[in-house]
Amino acid sequence: MLPELPAYPATRLRRLRRTPALRRLVQDVAVRPSDLVLPMFVREGVDAPVPIESMPGVVQHTPDSLRKAAAEAVAAGVGGLMLFGVPASKDATGSGGDDPDGILNVALRALRAEVGDDTVIMGDLCLDEFTDHGHCGVLAADGSVDNDATLRRYASMAVAQAEAGAHLLGTSGMMDGQVGVVRAALDAAGHPDIGILGYAPKYASAFYGPFREAVNSALTGDRKSYQQDPTRTVAEALAEVALDVAEGADLVMVKPALPYLDVLRAVADASPVPVAAYQISGEYSMVEAAAARGWIDREGAIVETLTAIKRAGASVILSYWAAEAGALL
Ligand code: PBG
């Protein structure tokens, strides 16, 4: 026997879901195109853009195609561009990273000439694209990544990127003390106004997989000795944020995004500086791969994932869909 039901449910949450106009009226979270930053790859020594197979729709640009795509992204309303360089040759110390004629610095100059201050130009301040072993730093004799020797390389790279025209530098290498050293180097070289986007919580993640192809990475093994272990509690993430802020980070970033929304929420609640999140290569590729098989609504998944990341507290979202999403939002 069913119990007697009330004449009507006391609470009707469906009333406000009934029509598109009602739903629009009570919408809380809206991602704006200007919240989004487009990561872009530029490759040395190619005369046409090279598709990245594991990231359908994303390419390694030539300097020319980069300028054109950047101008289109700015016209679509993106808030910024994050640039990664893919050099023709790599070495043990990543010397292409701080060479003013290295591909990343050449491309930053070209981008700045193209878009000026109309958008925010960011450079990836890391050595892994430039080292022949693929690690985010220089190696000690025992093969481990040498924290303090790496910091000296980052200081030099930071000055090169500032001189090439970057507005913000993304310290993505996960060395201890990197933000402080980069801040000091920028100030000493006469660039006190160039800002730092501190990759504060950055987890050792399987979702970086497609990025290895995107930058022709030579990495064998993993980055677990310097990136965070996903099994640690949010307290460790907050310690990374506190250090980056104390050392002078102007924004902090959580990375990856979707598998770490709990971390993002905690960081957004605690951080005195704006918080970014990076929807990384693997997050992009899994939606694209499922959509290509007709298993998922691609545009729906794009908007839903970006909304989830914003709802969890991100003010800024790096996404390979940034330019396209501007039209979907
Ligand atoms: C380091 C860097 C990486 C990404 C951004 N900066 C690679 C890594 O840490 O392994 C990953 C971005 C992505 O997967 O989309 N240069």
Side-chain angles (χ1 to χ4, degrees), residues 39 41 55 82 84 124-129 134 136 170 172-174 199 202-203 205 207-212 215 219 223 226-227 253 255 278-284 320:
F41 302 98
M55 300 180 74
M82 168 64 84
F84 296 90
D124 183 55
L125 209 177
C126 193
L127 284 170
D128 66 322
E129 296 94 325
C136 295
S172 65
M174 291 305 279
Y199 282 55
K202 178 172 176 180
Y203 289 87
S205 173
F207 291 96
Y208 300 136
F211 180 87
R212 308 262 185 273
V215 299
L219 184 71
R223 305 200 197 290
Y226 43 106
Q227 297 179 345
M253 182 148 75
K255 185 178 170 195
Y278 197 146
Q279 181 176 55
I280 63 166
S281 56
E283 298 179 62
Y284 173 90
Y320 297 97

Side-chain angles (χ1 to χ4, degrees), residues 256-279:
L258 211 56
Y260 295 90
L261 294 184
D262 57 331
V263 175
L264 177 56
R265 170 41 62 199
V267 168
D269 287 344
S271 175
V273 299
V275 174
Y278 197 146
Q279 181 176 55

Side-chain angles (χ1 to χ4, degrees), residues 23-159:
R23 294 194 294 276
R24 192 172 57 233
L25 179 71
V26 297
Q27 178 179 351
D28 291 315
V29 178
V31 181
R32 297 172 303 174
S34 61
D35 298 332
L36 302 177
V37 173
L38 179 66
M40 305 181 88
F41 302 98
V42 59
R43 178 165 167 184
E44 188 174 30
V46 291
D47 50 22
V50 180
I52 300 165
E53 214 178 300
S54 55
M55 300 180 74
V58 182
V59 301
Q60 296 172 324
H61 283 287
T62 68
D64 271 355
S65 72
L66 177 79
R67 289 224 295 271
K68 188 162 168 282
E72 286 166 9
V74 173
V78 301
L81 306 169
M82 168 64 84
L83 196 57
F84 296 90
V86 185
S89 65
K90 310 189 184 210
D91 59 26
T93 58
S95 56
D98 53 343
D99 180 349
D101 295 324
I103 182 66
L104 180 54
N105 297 319
V106 167
L108 283 170
R109 271 196 298 278
L111 264 194
R112 185 65 186 271
E114 178 75 28
V115 301
D117 290 331
D118 290 349
T119 195
V120 180
I121 300 173
M122 310 177 194
D124 183 55
L125 209 177
C126 193
L127 284 170
D128 66 322
E129 296 94 325
F130 297 95
T131 53
D132 54 12
H133 44 72
H135 278 294
C136 295
V138 292
L139 304 184
D142 65 0
S144 65
V145 176
D146 184 331
N147 193 86
D148 299 5
T150 298
L151 293 183
R152 286 191 283 281
R153 300 288 301 124
Y154 288 172
S156 170
M157 242 181 126
V159 173

